[in-house]
Amino acid sequence: MQKTSERINERGAGPEQPQEVPFVVRVADRVQRLPPYLFAKINALKQQRRREGRDIIDLGMGNPTDVPDPVIIEKLCDAAHDERNHRYSVSVGLHNLRREVARRYERQFGVALDAETEVIACLGSKEAFSHMCLALVGPGDTAIVPAPSFPIHVYGIYLASGNVISLPCTQPEQFLSQVATITERLYPRPKLLVLNYPHNPTGTVVERDFFVEVVHLARRYGLMVIHDFAYGDIGFDGYQPPSFLSVPGAKAVGVETTTMSKGYNMAGWRIGFCAGNAEMIRALATIKGYYDYGIFQAIQIAAIVALRECEEAVRRQALVYQRRRDVLVEGLRRGGWELQTPRAGMFVWAKYPATWQHLDSMTFAMKLLEEADVAVSPGRGFGEAGEGYVRLALVENEQRLRQAVRQIHRCLRTESPWCADAVASASP
Protein backbone atom coordinates (compact mmCIF):
# COMPACT_ATOMS: atom_id res chain seq x y z
CA MET A 1 0.00 0.00 0.00
CA GLN A 2 1.29 3.44 -0.93
CA LYS A 3 2.08 5.88 1.80
CA THR A 4 -0.45 8.67 2.22
CA SER A 5 1.93 11.26 0.77
CA GLU A 6 2.38 9.10 -2.35
CA ARG A 7 -1.28 8.41 -3.09
CA ILE A 8 -2.52 9.37 -6.53
CA ASN A 9 -5.34 11.88 -6.55
CA GLU A 10 -8.59 11.17 -8.33
CA ARG A 11 -7.42 12.91 -11.53
CA GLY A 12 -4.21 10.92 -11.65
CA ALA A 13 -2.17 14.09 -11.43
CA GLY A 14 0.46 12.80 -9.04
CA PRO A 15 0.95 12.58 -5.28
CA GLU A 16 -1.72 14.19 -3.16
CA GLN A 17 -0.54 17.34 -1.39
CA PRO A 18 -1.28 17.62 2.34
CA GLN A 19 -3.89 20.26 3.12
CA GLU A 20 -2.37 23.40 4.60
CA VAL A 21 -3.74 24.55 7.93
CA PRO A 22 -3.61 28.34 8.57
CA PHE A 23 -0.99 29.18 11.17
CA VAL A 24 -2.38 31.09 14.13
CA VAL A 25 -0.27 33.22 16.46
CA ARG A 26 -1.72 32.84 19.94
CA VAL A 27 -0.38 35.73 22.01
CA ALA A 28 -0.37 35.64 25.78
CA ASP A 29 -3.45 36.64 27.75
CA ARG A 30 -1.50 39.55 29.25
CA VAL A 31 -1.19 41.07 25.78
CA GLN A 32 -4.84 40.44 25.05
CA ARG A 33 -5.73 42.48 28.12
CA LEU A 34 -4.09 45.59 26.70
CA PRO A 35 -6.48 47.96 24.89
CA PRO A 36 -5.60 49.57 21.55
CA TYR A 37 -3.02 52.30 22.04
CA LEU A 38 -5.16 55.41 22.19
CA PHE A 39 -2.43 57.78 21.05
CA ALA A 40 -1.60 55.75 17.92
CA LYS A 41 -4.22 57.51 15.77
CA ILE A 42 -2.96 60.96 16.78
CA ASN A 43 0.67 59.95 16.22
CA ALA A 44 -0.14 58.60 12.76
CA LEU A 45 -1.97 61.80 11.74
CA LYS A 46 0.84 63.91 13.17
CA GLN A 47 3.41 62.13 11.04
CA GLN A 48 1.18 62.38 7.97
CA ARG A 49 0.77 66.13 8.42
CA ARG A 50 4.52 66.57 8.78
CA ARG A 51 5.15 64.61 5.60
CA GLU A 52 2.78 67.04 3.91
CA GLY A 53 4.99 69.89 5.06
CA ARG A 54 2.76 71.12 7.90
CA ASP A 55 4.48 72.65 10.92
CA ILE A 56 3.00 70.69 13.82
CA ILE A 57 3.50 72.14 17.29
CA ASP A 58 3.75 68.96 19.35
CA LEU A 59 2.52 69.41 22.93
CA GLY A 60 1.35 65.82 23.16
CA MET A 61 4.28 63.81 24.48
CA GLY A 62 6.41 65.01 27.38
CA ASN A 63 9.51 64.73 25.24
CA PRO A 64 12.06 67.40 26.25
CA THR A 65 13.44 69.50 23.41
CA ASP A 66 16.19 71.09 25.52
CA VAL A 67 19.67 69.56 25.64
CA PRO A 68 21.80 68.50 28.61
CA ASP A 69 24.46 70.74 30.10
CA PRO A 70 27.58 70.74 27.85
CA VAL A 71 29.70 69.16 30.58
CA ILE A 72 27.46 66.08 30.47
CA ILE A 73 27.75 65.74 26.69
CA GLU A 74 31.53 66.24 26.81
CA LYS A 75 31.90 63.51 29.42
CA LEU A 76 29.77 61.16 27.33
CA CYS A 77 32.04 61.74 24.33
CA ASP A 78 35.19 61.18 26.39
CA ALA A 79 33.79 57.99 27.90
CA ALA A 80 32.65 56.72 24.51
CA HIS A 81 36.22 57.00 23.22
CA ASP A 82 37.45 54.77 26.06
CA GLU A 83 37.52 51.23 24.69
CA ARG A 84 36.97 49.81 28.17
CA ASN A 85 33.39 51.09 28.10
CA HIS A 86 32.37 49.12 25.02
CA ARG A 87 31.32 45.97 26.80
CA TYR A 88 28.45 44.79 28.95
CA SER A 89 28.05 46.71 32.18
CA VAL A 90 26.50 45.45 35.42
CA SER A 91 22.70 45.29 35.40
CA VAL A 92 22.33 47.15 38.71
CA GLY A 93 24.51 50.08 37.62
CA LEU A 94 28.05 51.17 38.42
CA HIS A 95 28.78 51.47 42.12
CA ASN A 96 30.03 55.04 41.73
CA LEU A 97 26.80 56.02 40.00
CA ARG A 98 24.65 54.49 42.73
CA ARG A 99 26.81 56.24 45.30
CA GLU A 100 26.15 59.62 43.62
CA VAL A 101 22.41 58.94 43.70
CA ALA A 102 22.67 58.23 47.43
CA ARG A 103 24.64 61.43 47.96
CA ARG A 104 22.05 63.47 46.07
CA TYR A 105 19.25 62.04 48.24
CA GLU A 106 21.29 63.06 51.28
CA ARG A 107 21.81 66.61 49.97
CA GLN A 108 18.29 67.17 48.69
CA PHE A 109 16.12 65.35 51.21
CA GLY A 110 18.28 64.30 54.16
CA VAL A 111 17.78 60.63 53.27
CA ALA A 112 20.52 58.10 54.08
CA LEU A 113 20.72 55.33 51.48
CA ASP A 114 23.05 52.36 51.22
CA ALA A 115 24.34 52.60 47.65
CA GLU A 116 25.04 48.87 47.58
CA THR A 117 21.66 47.55 48.70
CA GLU A 118 19.14 50.41 48.47
CA VAL A 119 19.85 51.98 45.06
CA ILE A 120 19.70 50.49 41.56
CA ALA A 121 20.21 52.11 38.15
CA CYS A 122 17.51 51.49 35.52
CA LEU A 123 16.67 52.28 31.90
CA GLY A 124 14.54 55.21 33.02
CA SER A 125 11.83 55.32 35.70
CA LYS A 126 9.33 53.61 33.39
CA GLU A 127 11.49 50.49 33.14
CA ALA A 128 12.13 50.61 36.87
CA PHE A 129 8.40 50.66 37.56
CA SER A 130 7.56 47.95 35.03
CA HIS A 131 10.16 45.50 36.23
CA MET A 132 9.35 46.23 39.86
CA CYS A 133 5.77 45.20 39.08
CA LEU A 134 7.08 41.89 37.73
CA ALA A 135 9.09 41.48 40.90
CA LEU A 136 6.18 42.15 43.28
CA VAL A 137 2.89 41.31 41.55
CA GLY A 138 1.42 38.05 40.31
CA PRO A 139 -1.95 36.44 39.51
CA GLY A 140 -4.55 37.34 42.11
CA ASP A 141 -2.61 40.30 43.48
CA THR A 142 -4.23 43.74 43.49
CA ALA A 143 -2.67 47.20 43.23
CA ILE A 144 -4.26 50.57 44.00
CA VAL A 145 -3.39 53.11 41.31
CA PRO A 146 -4.06 56.87 41.06
CA ALA A 147 -6.60 58.10 38.48
CA PRO A 148 -6.30 59.68 35.98
CA SER A 149 -3.40 57.30 35.35
CA PHE A 150 -0.13 57.48 33.50
CA PRO A 151 -0.71 54.37 31.35
CA ILE A 152 2.20 52.25 32.62
CA HIS A 153 0.91 52.58 36.18
CA VAL A 154 -2.10 50.52 35.10
CA TYR A 155 -0.70 48.33 32.37
CA GLY A 156 2.51 47.53 34.20
CA ILE A 157 0.28 45.82 36.76
CA TYR A 158 -1.75 44.06 34.05
CA LEU A 159 1.40 42.83 32.33
CA ALA A 160 2.45 41.32 35.65
CA SER A 161 -0.95 39.49 35.72
CA GLY A 162 -2.26 41.61 38.59
CA ASN A 163 -5.53 43.46 39.15
CA VAL A 164 -6.00 47.23 39.37
CA ILE A 165 -8.22 49.44 41.50
CA SER A 166 -8.11 53.05 40.25
CA LEU A 167 -8.91 55.84 42.69
CA PRO A 168 -9.20 59.60 41.98
CA CYS A 169 -6.02 61.26 43.22
CA THR A 170 -6.50 64.98 42.65
CA GLN A 171 -7.74 65.43 46.24
CA PRO A 172 -4.88 63.73 48.11
CA GLU A 173 -6.55 63.49 51.53
CA GLN A 174 -9.67 61.99 49.99
CA PHE A 175 -7.50 59.60 48.00
CA LEU A 176 -5.87 58.28 51.18
CA SER A 177 -9.24 57.95 52.86
CA GLN A 178 -10.46 55.79 49.99
CA VAL A 179 -7.26 53.72 50.11
CA ALA A 180 -7.92 52.98 53.78
CA THR A 181 -11.59 52.11 53.19
CA ILE A 182 -10.92 49.75 50.29
CA THR A 183 -7.97 48.07 51.96
CA GLU A 184 -10.02 47.53 55.10
CA ARG A 185 -12.96 45.96 53.27
CA LEU A 186 -11.33 44.03 50.44
CA TYR A 187 -10.19 40.44 50.87
CA PRO A 188 -7.59 39.48 50.04
CA ARG A 189 -6.23 42.93 50.72
CA PRO A 190 -4.45 44.93 48.02
CA LYS A 191 -0.74 44.21 47.93
CA LEU A 192 0.62 47.36 46.34
CA LEU A 193 -0.04 51.11 46.45
CA VAL A 194 1.18 53.15 43.48
CA LEU A 195 1.76 56.87 43.96
CA ASN A 196 2.88 59.60 41.57
CA TYR A 197 3.40 63.13 42.90
CA PRO A 198 3.88 65.53 41.17
CA HIS A 199 1.17 63.73 39.28
CA ASN A 200 1.13 62.98 35.58
CA PRO A 201 -1.15 64.06 33.93
CA THR A 202 -2.97 66.41 36.34
CA GLY A 203 -0.01 68.14 38.01
CA THR A 204 -1.46 67.51 41.49
CA VAL A 205 1.14 67.93 44.24
CA VAL A 206 1.38 67.00 47.90
CA GLU A 207 3.22 68.16 51.00
CA ARG A 208 5.51 65.95 53.05
CA ASP A 209 2.82 65.18 55.65
CA PHE A 210 0.94 63.26 52.95
CA PHE A 211 3.69 60.66 52.89
CA VAL A 212 3.64 60.40 56.68
CA GLU A 213 0.06 59.15 56.38
CA VAL A 214 1.03 56.88 53.48
CA VAL A 215 3.63 55.15 55.65
CA HIS A 216 1.08 54.81 58.44
CA LEU A 217 -1.44 53.16 56.10
CA ALA A 218 1.20 50.92 54.55
CA ARG A 219 2.33 49.60 57.92
CA ARG A 220 -1.22 49.16 59.15
CA TYR A 221 -2.45 47.21 56.13
CA GLY A 222 0.72 45.58 54.83
CA LEU A 223 0.81 47.64 51.64
CA MET A 224 4.01 47.90 49.64
CA VAL A 225 4.49 51.34 48.07
CA ILE A 226 6.00 52.44 44.76
CA HIS A 227 6.27 56.21 44.38
CA ASP A 228 6.97 57.42 40.84
CA PHE A 229 8.94 60.63 41.45
CA ALA A 230 9.72 61.33 37.80
CA TYR A 231 8.92 65.07 38.10
CA GLY A 232 10.58 65.68 41.43
CA ASP A 233 13.15 68.03 39.89
CA ILE A 234 10.58 70.43 38.44
CA GLY A 235 8.95 72.59 41.09
CA PHE A 236 7.60 76.10 40.53
CA ASP A 237 7.22 79.29 42.57
CA GLY A 238 9.46 78.01 45.37
CA TYR A 239 7.69 74.67 45.75
CA GLN A 240 10.03 71.70 46.26
CA PRO A 241 8.30 68.37 45.61
CA PRO A 242 8.92 66.16 48.67
CA SER A 243 10.46 62.73 48.43
CA PHE A 244 8.50 59.78 49.77
CA LEU A 245 11.76 58.41 51.19
CA SER A 246 12.24 61.55 53.31
CA VAL A 247 9.56 60.34 55.73
CA PRO A 248 10.65 58.14 58.67
CA GLY A 249 9.73 54.52 58.03
CA ALA A 250 9.34 54.92 54.26
CA LYS A 251 12.24 52.60 53.45
CA ALA A 252 10.56 49.89 55.49
CA VAL A 253 7.49 49.85 53.23
CA GLY A 254 8.47 51.00 49.77
CA VAL A 255 10.64 52.44 47.03
CA GLU A 256 10.83 55.54 44.88
CA THR A 257 11.69 55.77 41.17
CA THR A 258 13.47 58.78 39.70
CA THR A 259 14.83 59.77 36.31
CA MET A 260 17.40 62.03 34.68
CA SER A 261 15.11 62.62 31.70
CA LYS A 262 13.42 65.77 32.94
CA GLY A 263 15.58 68.01 35.10
CA TYR A 264 18.80 66.94 33.37
CA ASN A 265 17.28 66.80 29.83
CA MET A 266 18.60 63.27 29.33
CA ALA A 267 15.36 61.68 28.10
CA GLY A 268 16.83 59.76 25.16
CA TRP A 269 19.72 58.51 27.27
CA ARG A 270 17.41 56.16 29.22
CA ILE A 271 18.79 56.40 32.69
CA GLY A 272 16.90 56.49 35.97
CA PHE A 273 16.91 54.90 39.40
CA CYS A 274 14.95 53.04 42.01
CA ALA A 275 15.79 53.53 45.68
CA GLY A 276 14.44 52.45 49.04
CA ASN A 277 13.50 49.12 50.60
CA ALA A 278 16.47 46.74 50.27
CA GLU A 279 14.38 43.60 49.73
CA MET A 280 12.32 45.25 46.99
CA ILE A 281 15.53 46.49 45.36
CA ARG A 282 16.98 42.97 45.57
CA ALA A 283 13.86 41.58 43.86
CA LEU A 284 14.14 44.18 41.10
CA ALA A 285 17.84 43.37 40.66
CA THR A 286 16.91 39.70 40.23
CA ILE A 287 14.45 40.53 37.45
CA LYS A 288 16.92 42.86 35.73
CA GLY A 289 19.64 40.25 35.95
CA TYR A 290 17.56 38.07 33.65
CA TYR A 291 16.31 40.83 31.36
CA ASP A 292 19.25 43.12 30.62
CA TYR A 293 23.00 43.68 30.84
CA GLY A 294 22.81 47.21 32.15
CA ILE A 295 23.08 50.71 30.70
CA PHE A 296 25.86 51.64 28.27
CA GLN A 297 28.73 52.45 30.59
CA ALA A 298 29.62 55.77 28.94
CA ILE A 299 26.11 57.03 29.75
CA GLN A 300 26.51 55.98 33.37
CA ILE A 301 29.83 57.82 33.62
CA ALA A 302 28.29 60.97 32.14
CA ALA A 303 25.42 60.63 34.62
CA ILE A 304 27.92 60.57 37.49
CA VAL A 305 29.29 63.92 36.33
CA ALA A 306 25.75 65.28 35.93
CA LEU A 307 24.84 64.34 39.50
CA ARG A 308 28.06 65.84 40.85
CA GLU A 309 28.26 69.07 38.88
CA CYS A 310 24.93 70.04 37.32
CA GLU A 311 22.55 70.83 40.17
CA GLU A 312 22.41 74.46 39.13
CA ALA A 313 21.49 73.42 35.57
CA VAL A 314 18.56 71.46 37.00
CA ARG A 315 17.33 74.55 38.84
CA ARG A 316 17.65 76.65 35.69
CA GLN A 317 15.65 74.10 33.73
CA ALA A 318 12.84 74.25 36.29
CA LEU A 319 12.67 78.03 35.73
CA VAL A 320 12.46 77.44 31.97
CA TYR A 321 9.44 75.21 32.48
CA GLN A 322 7.91 77.75 34.87
CA ARG A 323 8.08 80.53 32.26
CA ARG A 324 6.55 78.22 29.65
CA ARG A 325 3.81 77.29 32.11
CA ASP A 326 2.93 80.95 32.60
CA VAL A 327 2.69 81.58 28.85
CA LEU A 328 0.47 78.57 28.21
CA VAL A 329 -1.78 78.94 31.26
CA GLU A 330 -2.40 82.65 30.71
CA GLY A 331 -3.04 82.14 27.01
CA LEU A 332 -5.54 79.33 27.47
CA ARG A 333 -7.39 81.17 30.23
CA ARG A 334 -7.90 84.13 27.93
CA GLY A 335 -9.69 81.74 25.64
CA GLY A 336 -12.09 80.52 28.32
CA TRP A 337 -10.32 77.33 29.33
CA GLU A 338 -10.66 76.05 32.90
CA LEU A 339 -7.40 75.02 34.53
CA GLN A 340 -5.36 75.31 37.68
CA THR A 341 -1.84 76.69 37.57
CA PRO A 342 0.44 73.68 38.12
CA ARG A 343 3.00 73.96 40.90
CA ALA A 344 5.27 71.31 39.44
CA GLY A 345 5.87 69.00 36.47
CA MET A 346 6.06 69.66 32.76
CA PHE A 347 2.37 69.54 31.80
CA VAL A 348 -0.75 71.67 31.86
CA TRP A 349 -3.93 69.68 32.52
CA ALA A 350 -6.84 71.65 31.09
CA LYS A 351 -10.59 71.24 30.83
CA TYR A 352 -11.41 72.43 27.36
CA PRO A 353 -14.16 75.04 26.87
CA ALA A 354 -17.79 74.19 27.60
CA THR A 355 -18.65 75.03 23.99
CA TRP A 356 -16.71 71.94 22.94
CA GLN A 357 -17.55 69.56 25.77
CA HIS A 358 -19.99 67.76 23.48
CA LEU A 359 -16.88 66.26 21.88
CA ASP A 360 -15.03 63.49 23.66
CA SER A 361 -11.40 64.29 24.38
CA MET A 362 -10.07 62.10 21.59
CA THR A 363 -12.24 63.82 18.98
CA PHE A 364 -11.33 67.24 20.39
CA ALA A 365 -7.61 66.43 20.27
CA MET A 366 -7.95 65.26 16.67
CA LYS A 367 -9.72 68.53 15.82
CA LEU A 368 -6.82 70.57 17.21
CA LEU A 369 -4.33 68.50 15.26
CA GLU A 370 -6.27 68.58 11.98
CA GLU A 371 -7.37 72.24 12.09
CA ALA A 372 -4.87 74.02 14.36
CA ASP A 373 -1.70 71.99 13.70
CA VAL A 374 -1.28 71.52 17.46
CA ALA A 375 -0.88 68.05 18.96
CA VAL A 376 -2.15 67.45 22.53
CA SER A 377 -2.86 64.32 24.56
CA PRO A 378 -6.56 63.45 25.00
CA GLY A 379 -7.57 63.02 28.62
CA ARG A 380 -9.21 59.69 27.82
CA GLY A 381 -5.75 58.31 27.21
CA PHE A 382 -5.26 58.43 30.98
CA GLY A 383 -8.47 56.57 31.78
CA GLU A 384 -12.11 57.48 32.17
CA ALA A 385 -11.30 60.04 34.86
CA GLY A 386 -9.50 62.10 32.22
CA GLU A 387 -12.47 62.59 29.90
CA GLY A 388 -13.24 66.24 29.15
CA TYR A 389 -9.58 67.26 29.54
CA VAL A 390 -6.43 67.42 27.47
CA ARG A 391 -2.80 67.41 28.56
CA LEU A 392 -0.36 69.90 27.03
CA ALA A 393 3.38 69.41 27.48
CA LEU A 394 5.68 72.36 28.20
CA VAL A 395 8.30 71.15 25.75
CA GLU A 396 8.27 73.98 23.21
CA ASN A 397 9.83 77.41 23.72
CA GLU A 398 7.74 80.40 24.75
CA GLN A 399 7.36 81.77 21.23
CA ARG A 400 6.09 78.43 19.93
CA LEU A 401 3.68 78.14 22.86
CA ARG A 402 2.22 81.56 22.05
CA GLN A 403 1.84 80.45 18.46
CA ALA A 404 0.10 77.26 19.63
CA VAL A 405 -2.35 79.31 21.70
CA ARG A 406 -3.17 81.55 18.74
CA GLN A 407 -3.74 78.59 16.46
CA ILE A 408 -5.95 76.83 19.01
CA HIS A 409 -8.11 79.91 19.47
CA ARG A 410 -8.45 80.44 15.72
CA CYS A 411 -9.52 76.84 15.36
CA LEU A 412 -12.23 77.16 18.01
CA ARG A 413 -13.54 80.67 17.39
CA THR A 414 -16.05 79.70 14.70
CA GLU A 415 -18.54 78.56 17.33
CA SER A 416 -17.10 80.58 20.22
CA PRO A 417 -17.12 84.39 19.68
CA TRP A 418 -14.82 85.04 22.65
CA CYS A 419 -12.02 83.30 20.79
CA ALA A 420 -11.56 86.25 18.41
CA ASP A 421 -10.51 88.44 21.34
CA ALA A 422 -8.34 85.65 22.71
CA VAL A 423 -6.44 85.35 19.42
CA ALA A 424 -5.61 89.04 19.47
CA SER A 425 -4.54 89.06 23.13
CA ALA A 426 -2.31 86.02 22.62
CA SER A 427 -0.16 87.89 20.11
CA PRO A 428 3.29 88.83 21.46
Side-chain angles (χ1 to χ4, degrees):
M1 181 179 292
Q2 289 179 309
K3 295 180 181 179
T4 303
S5 61
E6 297 174 347
R7 291 174 183 166
I8 305 300
N9 64 26
E10 294 179 357
R11 297 182 180 179
E16 184 179 85
Q17 297 297 318
Q19 185 178 1
E20 290 190 9
V21 177
F23 186 80
V24 178
V25 175
R26 293 178 289 274
V27 301
D29 288 345
R30 67 178 64 89
V31 177
Q32 298 280 21
R33 296 174 72 184
L34 298 176
Y37 186 54
L38 193 63
F39 301 114
K41 187 175 181 181
I42 287 181
N43 290 339
L45 180 60
K46 180 173 62 180
Q47 294 307 317
Q48 177 186 331
R49 289 290 187 266
R50 283 177 169 163
R51 286 193 297 269
E52 295 169 354
R54 303 278 285 273
D55 178 20
I56 303 298
I57 302 177
D58 191 355
L59 309 182
M61 184 179 179
N63 191 3
T65 54
D66 304 292
V67 298
D69 189 280
V71 69
I72 304 173
I73 298 174
E74 290 169 10
K75 191 61 180 180
L76 173 68
C77 295
D78 290 344
H81 282 294
D82 188 336
E83 62 184 25
R84 294 171 298 177
N85 292 324
H86 293 273
R87 60 193 68 183
Y88 294 130
S89 186
V90 288
S91 61
V92 297
L94 297 175
H95 174 76
N96 286 350
L97 175 60
R98 289 179 281 129
R99 183 179 61 189
E100 288 304 322
V101 174
R103 287 174 173 172
R104 187 171 194 251
Y105 262 97
E106 179 69 39
R107 291 194 307 269
Q108 294 272 96
F109 307 111
V111 176
L113 291 170
D114 184 333
E116 199 64 39
T117 62
E118 296 177 336
V119 181
I120 187 170
C122 302
L123 301 167
S125 59
K126 189 174 182 180
E127 181 264 324
F129 179 85
S130 303
H131 280 159
M132 183 62 83
C133 289
L134 288 179
L136 302 180
V137 176
D141 291 334
T142 299
I144 297 175
V145 174
S149 307
F150 183 54
I152 197 61
H153 293 159
V154 172
Y155 299 113
I157 305 297
Y158 285 158
L159 287 169
S161 301
N163 304 308
V164 170
I165 296 175
S166 297
L167 296 178
C169 70
T170 56
Q171 301 295 326
E173 291 184 6
Q174 189 175 22
F175 172 77
L176 289 184
S177 176
Q178 289 182 295
V179 169
T181 299
I182 286 177
T183 308
E184 185 75 46
R185 296 177 180 176
L186 192 66
Y187 184 83
R189 285 179 172 171
K191 185 177 185 180
L192 182 66
L193 173 62
V194 176
L195 300 173
N196 172 215
Y197 293 103
H199 181 243
N200 179 13
T202 69
T204 302
V205 297
V206 296
E207 301 297 340
R208 187 171 177 272
D209 286 348
F210 172 87
F211 292 125
V212 173
E213 183 61 24
V214 167
V215 171
H216 173 74
L217 288 174
R219 296 180 71 93
R220 180 176 180 182
Y221 296 114
L223 282 167
M224 291 183 291
V225 178
I226 303 177
H227 179 228
D228 183 349
F229 199 35
Y231 299 94
D233 289 332
I234 308 175
F236 305 140
D237 306 316
Y239 172 73
Q240 170 62 61
S243 165
F244 164 68
L245 296 180
S246 69
V247 173
K251 284 197 299 183
V253 299
V255 294
E256 184 166 79
T257 62
T258 54
T259 176
M260 301 188 76
S261 295
K262 279 66 179 181
Y264 293 91
N265 291 320
M266 296 167 67
W269 301 46
R270 305 316 300 133
I271 186 161
F273 311 97
C274 187
N277 183 273
E279 183 58 21
M280 293 169 70
I281 296 295
R282 186 201 63 77
L284 176 56
T286 300
I287 294 291
K288 285 178 64 62
Y290 282 96
Y291 272 93
D292 71 65
Y293 286 106
I295 304 152
F296 178 38
Q297 200 153 282
I299 290 176
Q300 296 190 63
I301 292 169
I304 291 171
V305 170
L307 291 167
R308 286 177 180 170
E309 302 181 18
C310 297
E311 208 63 52
E312 182 57 36
V314 173
R315 286 190 282 270
R316 288 197 302 269
Q317 187 61 42
L319 291 174
V320 169
Y321 282 124
Q322 180 174 315
R323 290 192 293 270
R324 293 174 182 173
R325 174 206 65 175
D326 292 342
V327 167
L328 190 55
V329 167
E330 292 168 8
L332 291 176
R333 279 184 178 151
R334 284 195 293 265
W337 291 54
E338 294 181 31
L339 66 159
Q340 293 184 341
T341 302
R343 297 176 63 199
M346 55 188 294
F347 303 106
V348 169
W349 180 247
K351 186 174 184 179
Y352 48 89
T355 310
W356 297 97
Q357 282 291 321
H358 63 284
L359 299 182
D360 63 75
S361 60
M362 182 66 181
T363 303
F364 182 77
M366 291 294 289
K367 177 181 177 65
L368 294 187
L369 180 54
E370 291 178 329
E371 300 177 22
D373 288 337
V374 177
V376 301
S377 292
R380 187 64 180 82
F382 306 96
E384 293 181 7
E387 194 53 83
Y389 293 79
V390 292
R391 191 195 71 176
L392 304 95
L394 302 171
V395 293
E396 293 279 6
N397 62 43
E398 294 170 44
Q399 180 179 348
R400 293 275 284 174
L401 289 173
R402 290 189 181 95
Q403 181 64 28
V405 169
R406 290 195 294 270
Q407 291 173 194
I408 288 172
H409 292 335
R410 288 192 185 106
C411 167
L412 303 181
R413 69 180 173 183
T414 53
E415 293 186 28
S416 306
W418 42 260
C419 274
D421 295 334
V423 170
S425 62
S427 301

